[in-house]
Amino acid sequence: MKSLKWTFAVAVLLGPGIGVASAGPLEDVFYPADSNGVLPIERILDQARASVAGTITEVELEQEHGKLIYEVLILTPDNRKVEIEFDARTGAELSREVKKNRPKKED
């Protein structure tokens, strides 16, 4: 099965504002012309922020087994990485994985 994947990095700039790097036009990422019922990314980011304190570092919209899923990666103040998957059409949280961030080795 062909996998459809859009990846873009999200950085929090000046408080709640975000910056996005994308291969295509920015408006296509936030409001796809043919959204197929996909929720706007702002709603998913708001849910992620309300759920986990920290900085959103990455967001992916991908198709897995015929279902569109937003994956949001958050770096918490205590240096953990939290990955939350949301159903892109309903906004329901599908899974959450917490990982400790390894400290960088000093030279």
Side-chain angles (χ1 to χ4, degrees):
M1 170 179 255
K2 188 175 180 181
S3 174
L4 173 63
K5 185 173 182 180
W6 300 291
T7 303
F8 45 97
V10 177
V12 176
L13 301 173
L14 303 175
I18 58 172
V20 177
S22 173
L26 190 58
E27 59 273 5
D28 290 347
V29 173
F30 284 98
Y31 302 102
D34 179 17
S35 66
N36 292 319
V38 173
L39 294 173
I41 193 171
E42 289 92 349
R43 179 169 167 188
I44 300 299
L45 295 176
D46 287 344
Q47 283 182 241
R49 285 186 193 105
S51 181
V52 177
T55 302
I56 295 173
T57 60
E58 187 176 332
V59 177
E60 295 179 2
L61 175 61
E62 52 186 29
Q63 186 171 350
E64 293 180 5
H65 309 291
K67 188 176 204 174
L68 286 171
I69 296 172
Y70 280 112
E71 290 182 2
V72 180
L73 184 64
I74 302 170
L75 182 61
T76 66
D78 61 351
N79 211 28
R80 292 178 297 138
K81 292 180 183 177
V82 179
E83 182 181 287
I84 307 174
E85 289 188 348
F86 295 95
D87 183 300
R89 291 193 172 96
T90 68
E93 184 175 318
L94 301 173
S95 69
R96 181 183 298 219
E97 185 178 348
V98 180
K99 301 175 184 177
K100 284 196 173 208
N101 193 14
R102 294 182 186 165
K104 291 183 179 181
K105 291 183 179 180
E106 297 193 27
D107 295 330

